[in-house]
Amino acid sequence: MSDFFSTLLDELPQVGAGLWVTAQATVLGSLLTLLLSFTLGLAAGSRLLLVRGVSRTVVEFFRGTSLYIQLFWLYYAMPQLTGYELTPLLCGVVAFGLNYGAYGAEIVRGAVNSVPRAQYEAAVALNMTPLHRMRKVILPQAWVQMIPPFTNLLIQLLKCTPLLWLISAADFMTTIEHIRSLTGETVTAYLLLLVVYFVLAYTLTLLMNLLERSAKRRLGLHTGGRGLFRTRTAEAVTTAGGAR
Amino acid sequence: MNRTFDWDAAGDALPLLLEGFRVTLLATVLGTLVAAVLGLAIAVAGRAPSRFVTVPVKAVMEFVRATPLLVQLVGAAALFTSVEPLTIGIVVLGVHYATYTSEVYRAGIDGVPKGQWEACRALSMSPRRTWRAVILPQAVRNVLPALGNYAISMFKETPFLAVITVHEMVFEARGYGADHFAYTEAFTLAGLVFLVASYPTSLLMRKLEKRLGH
């Protein structure tokens, strides 16, 4: 036990660097996710069949072919096929972004559709341009709906970052694995990994809850502080019958 | 290094990948079974009258949910070296997903009208009989499509098992890619197999969901 932590102290710069790689992958991956979610999600609501079709195809493709295959494809297959190589971290960011962006597109589409029809009509009646309508009326309301499912997606993305270990990016998992192999302290090493990831996930959840609160405030919906510490968003499980 | 897609290598790799796909399917089916049973147990335990039961159950569930599957898998494999990797994979996948399916069951149980509980009390049924004869039959029917969706996402996470040397599809793809320097063909095919298997299943699930959702 003490052996493990003394080695951990010796290797602290590496551990810090590993944590930094994990953080970068999470943040950049979720930024790409957000960008793709909105692009694909809004395209799915387009009036043009072609735009809608392309968006659906891309979404189904990236949802259907497992994240791990996408990651390995980028890391192993793409250099073979194109001669062009991405750094491991970039492979991770692109794969996470594409995969979760496809899931996020469904979130955006669903949230935009859930804004009451009358809001569209009112915006049309006020002679707003489509862009103005989207920016000032539809998205602020849809955004509040999107935050809880996006929180889930973000946590899932964070939980996938240890995959970077497999494509030899020196992430947090890699550094702890290294210390484990030096000291042979299996239980301590994995417990530490689990606890750190749990803390990261909980911190992200708290931040997202804060974001949700401020988004609600902007719509005039005030919420108490109680919901701030909840770990999970109340997912509406529509298939489960609900309250009858 | 620039080369084109080699169809011969692809034809060569396919039997091996399908062999691995059998293991992938087996892990998915058994893992789903574990998740379905354990999830139900967690959901029922979460409604126990005593806090000494509900609080620890919830804490463990939150912890398992918020931590990476990969770490859980590698950790379990390093701790139980004498157990077969496939067994470890199925159990860890099952336990991880049970924390999600328990949510689904919880919603299903909440969806059973309160009057049903009260009627059972009025008939002085034992708690056990209430669950078995009245609540669960109504709750479980509604949650089946959601469980199916988790089965599909578990299917797409089985590649994790390759890390603990379970010979599933991605393990085979990686092996073939390394032996013949044909990563492109192996991983492209593996991805297509996933797509071909999961897309029709998710369409089917959506249909089932619509039918049950009135």
Side-chain angles (χ1 to χ4, degrees), chain A residues 143-158:
Chain A
W143 178 232
V144 170
Q145 306 263 326
M146 286 178 216
I147 296 173
F150 267 135
T151 308
N152 287 339
L153 212 59
L154 181 63
I155 302 303
Q156 274 181 321
L157 196 151
L158 171 73

Side-chain angles (χ1 to χ4, degrees), chain A residues 12 20 22 27 35 42 46 74 85 90 115 204 218 234:
Chain A
L12 209 55
W20 174 234
T22 296
V27 171
L35 182 74
L42 292 179
S46 162
L74 279 175
E85 211 169 321
L90 208 55
V115 174
L204 284 179
R218 232 171 295 142

Side-chain angles (χ1 to χ4, degrees), chain A residues 89-125:
Chain A
L89 176 63
L90 208 55
C91 276
V93 170
V94 172
F96 299 154
L98 286 173
N99 192 267
Y100 288 107
Y103 284 96
E106 294 287 282
I107 294 175
V108 172
R109 190 175 62 97
V112 167
N113 281 341
S114 76
V115 174
R117 192 76 207 146
Q119 299 279 336
Y120 280 93
E121 287 156 8
V124 171

Side-chain angles (χ1 to χ4, degrees), chain A residues 153-202:
Chain A
L153 212 59
L154 181 63
I155 302 303
Q156 274 181 321
L157 196 151
L158 171 73
K159 289 192 332 188
C160 278
T161 54
L163 275 173
L164 290 173
W165 168 51
L166 301 180
I167 56 168
S168 61
D171 75 322
F172 183 59
M173 171 112 185
T174 313
T175 51
I176 298 296
E177 265 288 332
H178 176 63
I179 296 175
R180 184 191 72 90
S181 65
L182 284 183
T183 59
E185 302 262 12
T186 305
V187 180
T188 323
Y190 289 127
L191 258 177
L192 178 76
L193 268 177
L194 290 176
V195 168
V196 169
Y197 277 109
F198 178 77
V199 170
L200 287 177
Y202 193 60

Side-chain angles (χ1 to χ4, degrees), chain B residues 3-62:
Chain B
R3 59 193 269 281
T4 47
F5 195 86
D6 182 354
W7 288 100
D8 288 341
D12 206 23
L14 192 61
L16 203 68
L17 291 181
L18 291 181
E19 183 72 31
F21 187 64
R22 262 201 11 226
V23 181
T24 300
L25 271 188
L26 182 74
T28 309
V29 170
L30 293 181
T32 305
L33 221 62
V34 173
V37 174
L38 192 64
L40 182 61
I42 296 174
V44 173
R47 293 182 69 102
S50 161
R51 281 204 158 190
F52 289 105
V53 180
T54 57
V55 171
V57 165
K58 269 208 182 113
V60 170
M61 209 189 89
E62 292 296 346

Side-chain angles (χ1 to χ4, degrees), chain B residues 40 50-51 76 78 99 103 116 154 156 164 177 196 206:
Chain B
L40 182 61
S50 161
R51 281 204 158 190
T99 60
E103 285 290 287
Q116 301 278 334
M154 190 189 293
K156 281 179 261 180
I164 57 168
V196 166
R206 227 173 287 169

